């Protein structure tokens, strides 16, 4: 085993400890006095300082083991004494949750038996250990801030789904959700908790009192006169409602907020802790001194200047230290209390470069002197502690806590060997490493210091979204407040950017592909884990505990885009023939060559197995890809039959794929409780394909079979390719250019980023807009209250007092929300985040355009590319205002036009068969034509595409969803004709400001250009007008008949003497039929106005028939009393 990155290589086997006296003499490069001084300097006794040379026993490597044993021997005596002094506690020394019998209801308990998630109405669980005497403490980390009651209970307490801890005699609880304490009855107590808070539960059985602390701040005594005596012992316990979660610390890790005089339920490993502290002191001493054999003296050095130079004296000294230190560094408590504290001190002591140097030296020595399994356990525990500390640290004004943990994480991950081990075995398998890229939002504005950062608050009176009323002119006072508020927001943003930059550095380390010496590069390990992460979230929809929380996914996506673009443009700088990240897209061959697994995600043309059967000839002719006949019989989760699988295919399938078609091991939920939960490795294999080399044409003798590898089996060459292998880009269609875009591995990362947005990012962006909507609602309430104050007579002092009180409440709430909104804008809706989403939109547009050029192979593209294109545009238009506008983005007009061309072409594309995606395209086009800017973009697309779009809109309504099509035609006409009177429907004139951006409430913006295309098609096509108008009249007859029938039923029900209620669903259906009838009438009006000759020109064979049907319909409408009433 060798030390990496230290400049020299040392074999561990040469430095194993031995009792052979001859081996110790080999180290005699330095004279005895210098060796004695060095060993005394490193292994100085804590009871005696550096003593004079005459008063201390000479040390050498022969008597050093004995000296070291004596140095550490005192701790063993203390350990025996501490074991004897345990009194007042009953139960196992290792305290965990009692998952065998001490619970009520359905609960999900983590593997470490310390984290729990409620999975029923009100589940209860207690610990395995109780106390009956003395002062005791344990901590609870609040992972979710819902309904929970935390405290103590006796073994005789009986709980159920309605009554939990604190609802029975001899059980006591604190509820930070409702801010109350419970013991049969309830009273106000403490203050509200939030996710990430730590509740300390303290019980004093000497005085009979019970109290709680929140984040180290005492909430006061909660209960007194506790029942004590024979048979009275108290267990830590909790009751929690559905999906609420916590993690306990009974003492297995250092308490975050210890209290003097109170003892954790689980004793800390005092002896091991003292030994580790002593050994750490020796280790630090070894790093701060160097031997100078020439001068015969010791040289004091800074830790960052110390270098391992192969001196046998130093190596043997460190070997003695790690002989005792290595077993201790596998313990969770020691790692967090000793090693973590030491490394954090290193990070805080100097600049990042110096800190990384010291951390690298420490890691080099760990790998050199410890066994592999010892180092791996140590690193695993270290990263678990780091993630836990980062995730649950409170938000302080300068974010210093988050910064220090991220800096240490960077220092560890920048060590090559440690990074590769953590990537391969820990970061995505054991840890939820996405937590490192998340910046949580502070729920308590005061504690986060936002009042100091943003002393002046402001809120917009109207959001300038498209379609809303314009903002009224600001007063000078409002302008000053707004500018002061913006300055405060900029200060906050700069502090958050420091954290974001550190998070991007972590991802840059994980995406490093230059560290392949001695193994696989980090980027390719990351790709394997990243693909599994996407699979888990794509396949686990509906199983919430398994999914990555969407707020984490949003932050992860933005950091990933930053790191991806950095490496993309860096590669462009060294390879001029490639493209900049601004021109990025995913080549279409990735979707059909089987090199990237898309799990069970839907393709535009349907199931992958179906596409490979029906388009195998196109794959062979256009992409030189042949499908193995054996694979045509197998291969999606929907039609896989393990019993009938051919033997050769089964032999080639990796072992992980044996679970396909059977019961898959589901990972235990861990997002809401312990962040360090292990997960089962699940893999859904894609069908293997047989590929021809990309040269054209090829003879049968030149065909080479290439089996698609699973994510775990792929190597760098399988991804990046080589001279005769294009890697991920094998099967390039003739429409694609020969010029490479970038490294193939970055293309797969880009594809994963697009998938991430589709999984949950878009939904979270829409959810966070709720803060802005809350600000608007409270601002309206405050303005209404101020108007009432101005109008209220001065003699009505009672009303004035109530209005003043309301004004104060609204103002305080707005101050809080405006500061929170500043945090949301900085972390979610900043200009940089908007540019990331905009870049992703343009990536999707280019990918769709390139895929469209492949003809029938376009059907292989996953549906989520079209979904992301539609949704990202919607997010940019609706979610980032009023601070930022999409119109400010570069290339805005061109992007609108390209998206319009895609919607116009593909809403009726026969290559797209999925009902949901076709509906999404139709709805997106319908929304697109409701706004002036986007409608103008539709008018800018090439004339041929416009005419094709209009022709598809005028296709007969039968056997296809026609309501959205009719709505589009109405919007293109709305604002013209004799049937138009209102800019908005009269009953919708009074709408909420946030509803004014809805497409249905937009002011008319008719398109005369598209109307002209419709007129030309109806006039010139002999079959277009009759088929279209007949279908419109048929649907109108149906909708109107349904409407009249329901009106009659409602009318008859209203005339009955007995009391009855009309079904609300019936009213909704009736209203829908009425709206459909009106919209169909408007389309008829448009046709009559634009092309009256199709009814009046008797030279046309269908004019008389159309006119007769129109007259009959008019007679029905005008003779129906309900219609005119």
């Amino acid at each position: 085993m060798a030390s990496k990155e230290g400049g020299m290589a040392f074999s561990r086997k040469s430095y194993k400890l031995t009792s052979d006296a001859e081996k110790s003499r080999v180290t005699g490069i330095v004279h005895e006095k210098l060796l004695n001084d060095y060993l005394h300097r490193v292994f100085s006794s804590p009871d005696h300082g550096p003593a004079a040379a005459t008063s201390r026993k000479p040390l050498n490597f022969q008597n050093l083991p004995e000296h070291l044993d004596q140095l550490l021997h005192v701790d063993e005596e203390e350990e025996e004494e501490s074991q004897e002094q345990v009194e007042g506690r009953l139960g196992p020394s290792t305290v965990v949750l009692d998952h065998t019998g001490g619970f009520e209801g359905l609960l999900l308990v983590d593997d470490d038996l310390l984290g729990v998630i409620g999975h029923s109405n009100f589940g209860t669980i207690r610990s395995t250990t109780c106390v009956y005497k003395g002062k005791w403490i344990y901590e609870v980390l609040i992972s979710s801030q819902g309904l929970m009651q935390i405290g103590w209970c006796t073994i005789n307490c009986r709980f159920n789904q309605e009554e939990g801890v604190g609802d029975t005699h001899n059980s006591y609880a604190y509820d930070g959700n409702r801010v109350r304490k419970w013991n049969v009855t309830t009273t106000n107590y403490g203050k509200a908790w939030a996710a990430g808070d730590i509740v300390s539960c303290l019980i004093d059985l000497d005085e009979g009192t019970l109290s709680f602390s929140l984040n180290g701040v005492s909430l006061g005594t909660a209960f007194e006169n506790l029942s004590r005596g024979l048979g009275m012992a108290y267990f830590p316990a909790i009751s929690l409602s559905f999906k609420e979660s916590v993690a306990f610390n009974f003492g297995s890790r250092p308490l975050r907020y210890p209290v003097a005089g109170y003892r954790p339920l689980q004793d800390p490993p005092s002896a091991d802790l003292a030994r580790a502290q002593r050994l750490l002191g020796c280790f630090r001493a070894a790093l701060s001194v160097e031997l100078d054999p020439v001068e015969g003296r010791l040289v004091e050095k800074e830790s960052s200047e110390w270098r391992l130079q192969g001196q046998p004296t130093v190596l043997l000294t460190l070997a003695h230290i790690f002989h005792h230190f290595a077993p201790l560094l596998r313990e969770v408590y020691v790692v967090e209390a000793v090693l973590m504290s030491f490394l954090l001190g290193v990070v805080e002591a100097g600049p990042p470069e110096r800190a990384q140097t010291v951390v690298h030296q420490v890691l080099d020595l760990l790998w050199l002197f410890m066994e592999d399994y010892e180092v791996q356990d140590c690193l695993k525990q270290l990263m678990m502690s780091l993630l836990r500390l980062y995730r649950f640290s409170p938000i302080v004004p300068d974010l210093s806590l988050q910064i220090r943990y991220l800096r240490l994480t960077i220092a560890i991950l920048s060590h090559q060997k440690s990074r590769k081990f953590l990537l391969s075995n820990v970061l995505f398998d054991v840890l939820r490493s996405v937590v490192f890229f998340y910046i949580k939002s502070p729920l308590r504005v005061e504690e986060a210091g936002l009042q100091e950062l943003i002393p002046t608050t402001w809120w917009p009176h109207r959001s300038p979204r498209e379609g809303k009323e314009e903002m009224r002119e600001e007063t000078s006072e409002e302008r000053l407040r707004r500018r002061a508020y913006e300055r405060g927001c900029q200060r906050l943003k700069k502090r958050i950017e420091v954290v974001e930059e550190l998070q991007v550095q972590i991802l840059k380390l994980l995406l490093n592909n230059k560290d392949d010496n001695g193994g696989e590069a980090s980027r390719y390990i990351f790709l394997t884990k990243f693909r599994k992460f996407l699979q888990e979230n794509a396949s686990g929809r509906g199983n919430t505990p398994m999914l990555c929380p969407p707020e984490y996914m949003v932050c992860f996506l933005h950091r990933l885009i930053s790191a991806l673009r950095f490496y993309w443009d860096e590669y462009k700088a060294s390879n001029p023939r490639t493209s900049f990240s601004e021109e990025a897209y995913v080549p279409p061959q990735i979707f059909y060559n089987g090199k990237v697994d898309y799990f069970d995600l839907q393709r535009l043309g349907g199931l992958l197995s179906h596409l490979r059967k029906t388009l195998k000839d196109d794959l062979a002719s256009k992409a030189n890809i042949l499908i193995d006949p054996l694979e045509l019989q197998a291969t999606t989760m929907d039609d896989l039959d393990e019993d009938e699988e051919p033997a050769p295919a089964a032999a080639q399938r990796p072992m992980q794929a044996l679970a396909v078609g059977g019961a898959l091991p589901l990972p235990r939920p861990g997002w809401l409780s312990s962040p360090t939960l292990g997960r089962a490795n699940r893999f859904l294999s894609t069908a293997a394909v047989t590929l021809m080399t990309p040269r054209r044409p090829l003879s049968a003798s030149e065909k080479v079979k290439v089996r698609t590898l699973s994510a775990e089996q792929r190597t760098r060459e399988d991804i990046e390719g080589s001279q005769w292998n294009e890697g991920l880009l094998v099967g390039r269609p003739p429409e694609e250019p020969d010029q490479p875009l970038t490294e193939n591995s970055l293309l797969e990362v880009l594809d994963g980023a697009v998938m991430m947005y589709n999984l949950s990012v878009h939904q979270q962006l829409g959810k966070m807009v709720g803060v802005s909507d809350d600000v608007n609602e409270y601002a309206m309430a405050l303005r209404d209250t101020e108007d009432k104050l101005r109008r209220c007579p001065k003699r009505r002092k009672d009303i004035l007092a109530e209005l003043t009180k309301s004004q104060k409440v609204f103002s305080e709430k707005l101050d809080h929300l405006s500061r929170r909104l500043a945090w949301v804008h900085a972390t979610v809706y900043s200009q940089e985040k908007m540019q990331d989403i905009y870049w992703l939109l343009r990536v999707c547009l280019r990918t769709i355009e390139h895929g469209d050029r492949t003809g029938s192979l376009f059907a292989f593209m996953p549906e989520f590319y079209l979904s992301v294109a539609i949704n990202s545009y919607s997010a940019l238009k609706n979610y980032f205002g009023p601070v930022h506008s999409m119109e400010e983005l570069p290339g805005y007009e061109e992007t609108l036009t390209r998206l319009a061309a895609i919607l116009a072409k593909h809403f009726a594309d026969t290559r797209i068969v999925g009902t949901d995606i076709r509906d999404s395209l139709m709805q997106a086009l319908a929304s697109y034509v409701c706004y002036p800017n986007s409608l103008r973009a539709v008018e800018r697309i090439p004339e041929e595409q416009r005419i094709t779009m209009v022709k598809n809109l005028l296709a007969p309504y039968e056997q296809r969803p026609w309501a959205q099509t009719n709505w589009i035609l109405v919007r293109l006409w709305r604002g013209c004709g004799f049937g138009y009177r209102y800019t908005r429907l009269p009953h919708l004139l009074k709408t909420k400001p946030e509803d004014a951006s809805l497409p249905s409430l937009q002011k008319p913006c008719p398109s005369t250009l598209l109307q002209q295309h419709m007129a030309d098609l109806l006039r010139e096509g002999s079959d277009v007008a009759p088929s279209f108008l007949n279908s419109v009249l048929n649907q109108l007859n149906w909708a109107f008949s349904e409407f009249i029938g329901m009106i009659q039923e409602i009318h008859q029900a209203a005339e009955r003497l007995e009391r009855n209620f009309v079904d609300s669903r019936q009213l909704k259906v009736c209203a829908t039929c009425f709206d459909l009838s009106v919209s169909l009438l408007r389309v008829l009006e448009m046709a009559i106005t634009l092309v009256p000759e199709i009814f009046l020109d008797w030279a046309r064979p269908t004019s008389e028939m159309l006119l007769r049907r129109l007259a009959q319909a008019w007679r029905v409408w005008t003779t129906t009393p309900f219609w005119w009433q």
Side-chain angles (χ1 to χ4, degrees):
M1 173 132 174
S3 170
K4 297 292 186 288
E5 299 181 352
M8 299 183 67
F10 305 99
S11 171
R12 175 195 289 174
K13 296 179 181 178
S14 302
Y15 303 100
K16 287 293 185 181
L17 298 183
T18 177
S19 59
D20 188 351
E22 292 300 321
K23 275 197 173 177
S24 65
R25 294 196 186 102
V26 176
T27 64
I29 300 176
V30 299
H31 55 75
E32 292 182 1
K33 182 180 182 305
L34 182 58
L35 176 61
N36 176 64
D37 292 341
Y38 176 72
L39 293 180
H40 274 290
R41 173 70 175 80
V42 173
F43 298 103
S44 61
S45 172
D47 301 326
H48 307 89
T54 57
S55 63
R56 61 191 183 191
K57 180 181 178 180
L59 279 180
N60 53 47
F61 287 122
Q62 289 178 306
N63 60 15
L64 180 59
E66 179 183 355
H67 174 78
L68 195 52
D69 289 340
Q70 291 177 355
L71 193 66
L72 303 175
H73 182 68
V74 178
D75 297 327
E76 296 178 359
E77 297 177 356
E78 291 180 356
E79 183 178 19
E80 294 174 0
E81 293 176 1
S82 65
Q83 293 296 330
E84 294 174 359
Q85 292 174 358
V86 174
E87 186 180 1
R89 184 181 65 193
L90 295 173
S93 58
T94 300
V95 186
V96 294
L97 296 174
D98 187 355
H99 67 294
T100 58
F103 65 94
E104 173 65 35
L106 183 59
L107 301 157
L108 297 176
V109 181
D110 289 348
D111 290 337
D112 57 7
L113 300 182
L114 294 174
V116 61
I117 305 176
H119 216 63
S120 58
N121 184 39
F122 204 50
T124 301
I125 191 169
R126 65 172 184 261
S127 71
T128 56
T129 299
C130 61
V131 293
Y132 61 90
K133 181 182 178 181
K135 298 180 179 181
W136 304 91
I137 182 175
Y138 71 93
E139 291 180 343
V140 181
L141 194 153
I142 306 297
S143 301
S144 61
Q145 60 189 45
L147 179 60
M148 293 178 283
Q149 294 174 195
I150 302 172
W152 304 80
C153 73
T154 64
I155 197 169
N156 295 321
C157 294
R158 294 293 178 262
F159 306 112
N160 54 45
Q161 295 292 301
E162 302 296 330
E163 294 182 342
V165 180
D167 296 326
T168 64
H169 290 288
N170 297 325
S171 69
Y172 306 87
Y174 161 51
D175 177 2
N177 177 260
R178 292 173 288 190
V179 196
R180 305 183 75 81
K181 60 181 181 180
W182 297 81
N183 176 232
V184 182
T185 60
T186 179
T187 56
N188 294 331
Y189 174 79
K191 60 181 181 180
W193 60 37
D197 287 345
I198 292 180
V199 176
S200 302
C201 304
L202 303 94
I203 188 169
D204 184 350
L205 290 169
D206 298 332
E207 299 294 332
T209 61
L210 196 152
S211 59
F212 299 91
S213 298
L214 188 63
N215 296 327
V217 179
S218 176
L219 301 178
T221 301
F223 303 100
E224 297 178 338
N225 301 319
L226 301 183
S227 299
R228 291 169 289 169
L230 189 64
M232 297 302 297
Y234 291 89
F235 292 82
I238 184 174
S239 298
L240 64 174
S241 56
F242 184 65
K243 288 189 179 179
E244 303 303 332
S245 58
V246 298
F248 285 83
N249 181 13
F250 298 112
S252 60
R253 300 186 304 273
L255 295 179
R256 188 75 63 88
Y257 302 105
V259 179
Y262 285 82
R263 186 172 185 171
L265 267 74
Q266 179 172 327
D267 288 326
S270 304
D272 288 347
L273 198 58
R275 271 198 297 267
Q277 292 286 7
R278 192 76 51 79
L279 290 166
L280 178 63
C282 298
F283 178 65
R284 298 180 68 169
L287 294 184
S288 62
V289 66
E290 281 189 357
L291 289 165
D292 188 350
V294 177
E295 298 290 336
R297 63 188 180 90
L298 302 180
V299 181
E300 298 290 334
K301 290 280 188 178
E302 290 288 337
S303 298
S304 59
E305 299 174 0
W306 186 89
R307 293 292 182 272
L308 184 63
Q309 298 176 350
Q311 294 173 311
T313 301
V314 176
L315 291 172
L316 279 173
T317 302
L318 291 171
H320 278 84
I321 293 175
F322 279 98
H323 176 68
H324 295 274
F325 207 5
L328 299 176
L329 290 179
R330 299 181 65 197
E331 299 181 19
V332 178
Y333 201 106
V334 173
V335 169
E336 189 165 328
V338 178
L339 183 60
M340 172 77 74
S341 300
F342 166 63
L343 294 178
L344 286 174
V346 169
V347 168
E348 294 172 350
E353 297 79 11
R354 181 179 298 177
Q356 283 192 18
T357 301
V358 177
V359 173
H360 284 190
Q361 290 180 4
V362 173
L363 293 173
D364 279 337
L365 295 173
L366 292 181
W367 284 106
L368 179 61
F369 291 105
M370 295 171 63
E371 297 291 343
D372 284 354
Y373 71 90
E374 294 173 333
V375 185
Q376 291 167 3
D377 286 349
C378 176
L379 287 175
K380 175 182 174 181
Q381 300 298 342
L382 184 61
M383 293 304 294
M384 288 172 66
S385 299
L386 261 179
L387 184 139
R388 187 184 299 111
L389 289 170
Y390 174 79
R391 180 183 179 188
F392 297 111
S393 292
I395 299 294
V396 295
D398 59 354
L399 299 173
S400 57
L401 296 177
Q402 285 73 22
I403 290 173
R404 68 196 289 248
Y405 299 136
L406 288 175
R407 285 182 59 190
L408 178 54
T409 304
I410 291 171
I412 295 172
L413 292 177
S414 59
H415 186 265
Q416 177 178 316
K417 187 169 185 178
S418 301
R419 176 175 67 249
K420 289 186 178 182
F421 162 72
L422 291 170
L423 251 180
S424 300
N425 303 281
V426 177
L427 289 182
F428 284 89
D429 296 290
V430 178
L431 296 180
R432 300 287 185 171
S433 56
V434 178
V435 172
F436 280 121
F437 311 114
Y438 175 57
I439 303 178
K440 65 180 179 181
S441 176
L443 297 180
R444 298 191 188 93
V445 170
E446 300 80 7
E447 295 180 8
L450 295 186
Q451 288 179 328
E452 292 75 19
L453 278 175
I454 311 174
T456 305
T457 58
W458 172 85
W459 46 87
H461 297 285
R462 280 288 184 272
S463 298
R465 295 181 187 168
E466 196 173 9
K468 287 191 175 185
E469 298 179 5
E470 295 183 359
M471 296 178 64
R472 63 178 177 82
E473 187 176 352
E474 290 181 319
T475 64
S476 58
E477 181 182 357
E478 290 174 343
R479 189 177 301 109
L480 290 175
R481 287 188 61 189
R482 176 175 57 81
R483 291 175 178 173
Y485 176 73
E486 290 174 349
R487 288 194 295 270
C489 293
Q490 284 300 317
R491 289 192 293 269
L492 174 63
K493 182 182 176 183
K494 288 180 180 179
R495 297 189 178 185
I496 291 176
E497 285 175 346
V498 175
V499 178
E500 292 178 343
E501 179 56 34
L502 293 174
Q503 294 171 331
V504 173
Q505 288 183 35
I506 294 176
L507 270 173
K508 287 180 181 178
L509 290 171
L510 301 184
L511 288 174
N512 183 3
N513 68 334
K514 303 295 192 299
D515 58 350
D516 55 351
N517 52 317
E520 193 174 12
S522 298
R523 180 182 297 176
Y524 306 104
I525 305 174
F526 174 83
L527 280 177
T528 301
K529 303 300 181 180
F530 182 49
R531 211 69 198 176
K532 283 189 175 182
F533 168 81
L534 294 174
Q535 176 187 353
E536 184 178 81
N537 285 273
S539 304
R541 292 186 177 184
N543 194 353
T544 305
M546 289 171 52
L547 303 181
C548 173
E551 60 269 23
Y552 289 52
M553 194 80 86
V554 171
C555 294
F556 185 27
L557 174 65
H558 287 297
R559 311 303 176 265
L560 186 63
I561 289 176
S562 298
L564 170 62
R565 298 192 66 178
F566 168 81
Y567 278 113
W568 193 300
D569 292 330
E570 182 184 65
Y571 188 76
K572 165 66 178 177
S574 58
N575 297 270
R577 293 182 64 247
T578 58
S579 303
F580 286 106
S581 62
E582 277 297 331
E583 304 163 352
Y585 69 93
V586 180
Q589 57 265 42
I590 287 180
F591 305 135
Y592 55 73
N593 65 17
K595 291 296 185 181
V596 177
D597 186 8
Y598 288 100
F599 333 123
D600 55 349
L601 296 179
Q602 190 77 2
R603 308 298 182 103
L604 293 178
L607 294 175
L608 181 62
S609 57
H610 169 74
L611 291 174
R612 282 179 168 161
K613 292 175 183 177
T614 56
L615 298 178
K616 59 181 180 180
D617 294 337
D618 292 336
L619 284 172
S621 61
K622 295 182 179 181
N624 285 341
I625 292 181
L626 295 180
I627 303 297
D628 190 336
L630 294 177
E631 295 296 337
L632 293 177
Q633 302 174 9
T635 17
T636 61
M637 288 294 295
D638 297 316
D639 58 5
L640 181 63
D641 186 351
E642 290 287 329
D643 296 331
E644 299 178 2
E645 184 180 35
Q652 293 178 355
R653 178 169 286 109
M655 290 302 295
Q656 292 90 331
L658 294 179
V660 175
L664 293 175
L666 295 178
R668 294 168 61 89
W671 271 109
L672 300 178
S673 56
S674 172
T676 58
L677 189 63
R679 294 184 276 172
N681 291 330
R682 295 178 296 129
F683 181 75
L684 305 180
S685 63
T686 52
V689 296
T690 303
L691 302 175
M692 295 168 57
T693 54
R695 293 168 291 168
R696 302 179 181 85
L698 292 178
S699 63
S701 60
E702 293 176 312
K703 296 178 182 178
V704 180
K705 290 187 177 182
V706 180
R707 184 170 61 91
T708 300
L709 303 177
S710 68
E712 293 87 349
Q713 293 174 310
R714 294 186 307 178
T715 64
R716 179 171 186 156
E717 184 177 341
D718 294 320
I719 297 174
E720 301 292 0
S722 59
Q723 184 177 2
W724 301 106
N725 174 22
E726 292 186 84
L728 291 184
L729 299 184
V730 69
R732 180 175 55 84
E735 296 83 6
E736 276 296 293
D738 293 333
Q739 176 181 332
L741 282 172
T742 185
E743 297 172 283
N744 291 354
S745 53
L746 296 181
L747 294 175
E748 185 171 343
V749 176
L750 175 59
D751 175 76
V754 177
M755 190 187 300
M756 282 175 60
Y757 186 91
N758 181 67
L759 291 177
S760 59
V761 171
H762 181 72
Q763 293 85 340
Q764 181 65 17
L765 290 177
K767 180 181 177 181
M768 296 303 291
V769 176
V771 179
S772 179
D773 293 339
D774 290 342
V775 169
N776 288 331
E777 289 182 5
Y778 276 100
M780 290 179 61
L782 179 61
R783 286 195 298 273
D784 291 343
T785 304
E786 290 173 347
D787 290 341
K788 292 176 182 177
L789 273 172
R790 285 191 293 267
R791 297 196 307 267
C792 182
K794 294 183 179 180
R795 65 179 183 275
R796 297 302 305 270
K797 295 183 179 181
D798 55 339
I799 299 178
L800 284 172
E802 290 297 323
L803 289 174
T804 303
K805 183 178 178 181
S806 299
Q807 183 188 30
K808 181 181 178 181
V809 170
F810 291 144
S811 297
E812 292 176 351
K813 188 66 176 178
L814 275 171
D815 288 341
H816 171 84
L817 286 175
S818 63
R819 292 187 176 101
R820 224 184 129 207
L821 185 61
W823 184 281
V824 172
H825 280 159
T827 56
V828 180
Y829 298 122
S830 67
Q831 180 72 24
E832 292 76 16
K833 310 298 186 302
M834 187 178 191
Q835 290 172 352
D836 286 345
I837 304 301
Y838 183 61
W839 180 76
L840 212 58
L841 166 62
R842 292 166 69 90
V843 165
C844 290
L845 295 182
R846 294 189 202 96
T847 302
I848 295 168
E849 290 168 351
H850 280 262
D852 180 42
R853 296 171 193 160
T854 62
S856 59
L857 300 184
F858 179 61
F860 283 94
M861 180 179 290
E863 287 184 350
F864 64 78
Y865 273 88
L866 281 171
S867 299
V868 171
I870 295 168
N871 292 332
S872 57
Y873 167 73
S874 174
L876 291 168
K877 183 167 69 73
N878 295 315
Y879 298 159
F880 285 84
V883 180
H884 307 293
S885 172
M886 186 180 177
E887 298 179 4
E888 302 170 358
L889 296 170
Y892 164 73
E893 297 289 342
E894 177 202 359
T895 302
L896 280 186
T897 304
R898 293 171 70 178
L899 179 57
I902 287 173
L903 295 177
K905 181 173 185 178
H906 296 298
F907 83 94
D909 194 337
T910 56
R911 296 171 295 181
I912 302 175
V913 301
T915 303
D916 292 340
I917 190 62
R918 290 176 69 91
D919 289 346
S920 297
L921 287 167
M922 185 69 75
Q923 293 170 10
L925 182 60
S927 174
Y928 221 68
V929 299
C930 291
Y931 302 93
N933 289 344
S934 51
L935 180 60
R936 300 290 88 83
V938 175
E939 294 177 342
R940 288 195 299 269
I941 65 178
E943 181 178 3
E944 182 180 354
Q945 292 187 20
R946 292 199 307 267
I947 294 175
T948 303
M949 178 192 75
V950 173
K951 188 174 182 179
N952 289 326
L953 291 173
L954 295 179
Y957 281 1
E958 283 79 14
Q959 298 181 352
R960 71 185 183 98
W962 56 269
Q964 287 289 350
T965 302
N966 198 77
W967 165 253
I968 295 173
L969 294 175
V970 170
R971 290 300 310 187
L972 297 178
W973 172 249
R974 193 174 180 186
C976 304
F978 58 86
Y980 193 84
R981 293 174 52 194
Y982 302 101
T983 58
R984 292 184 188 169
L985 298 179
H987 63 288
L988 295 179
L989 286 175
K990 295 181 180 180
T991 58
K992 296 180 180 179
E994 59 268 22
D995 292 338
S997 63
L998 295 175
S1000 59
L1001 300 181
Q1002 300 309 302
K1003 293 181 179 180
C1005 50
S1007 172
T1008 55
L1009 177 61
L1010 297 180
Q1011 289 177 17
Q1012 185 60 46
H1013 289 325
M1014 283 186 277
D1016 294 341
L1017 287 170
L1018 291 172
R1019 183 183 299 111
E1020 297 171 3
S1022 58
D1023 298 330
V1024 175
S1027 59
F1028 172 68
L1029 291 175
N1030 278 322
S1031 66
V1032 170
L1033 288 167
N1034 292 338
Q1035 300 300 335
L1036 179 60
N1037 288 336
W1038 169 83
F1040 190 69
S1041 300
E1042 291 291 322
F1043 168 69
I1044 293 300
M1046 290 186 180
I1047 284 289
Q1048 290 175 343
E1049 291 179 7
I1050 295 172
H1051 185 69
Q1052 293 171 1
E1055 292 181 345
R1056 295 174 187 161
L1057 297 178
E1058 66 274 12
R1059 185 177 180 183
N1060 55 79
F1061 299 93
V1062 179
D1063 189 356
S1064 59
R1065 290 175 297 179
Q1066 189 178 18
L1067 291 175
K1068 290 180 181 178
V1069 173
C1070 181
T1072 301
C1073 291
F1074 176 77
D1075 289 339
L1076 289 175
S1077 300
V1078 172
S1079 63
L1080 288 164
L1081 283 171
R1082 297 303 309 277
V1083 171
L1084 274 178
E1085 175 196 4
M1086 177 180 63
I1088 294 170
T1089 305
L1090 293 177
V1091 200
E1093 58 267 30
I1094 60 177
F1095 296 94
L1096 303 177
D1097 186 359
W1098 300 111
R1100 293 174 173 268
T1102 58
S1103 296
E1104 182 178 357
M1105 180 269 294
L1106 291 175
L1107 184 61
R1108 183 181 296 109
R1109 289 204 63 183
L1110 184 64
Q1112 291 173 350
W1114 175 254
R1115 184 167 62 251
V1116 171
W1117 303 328
T1118 54
T1119 56
T1120 303
F1122 293 104
W1123 175 262
W1124 297 107
Q1125 291 176 2

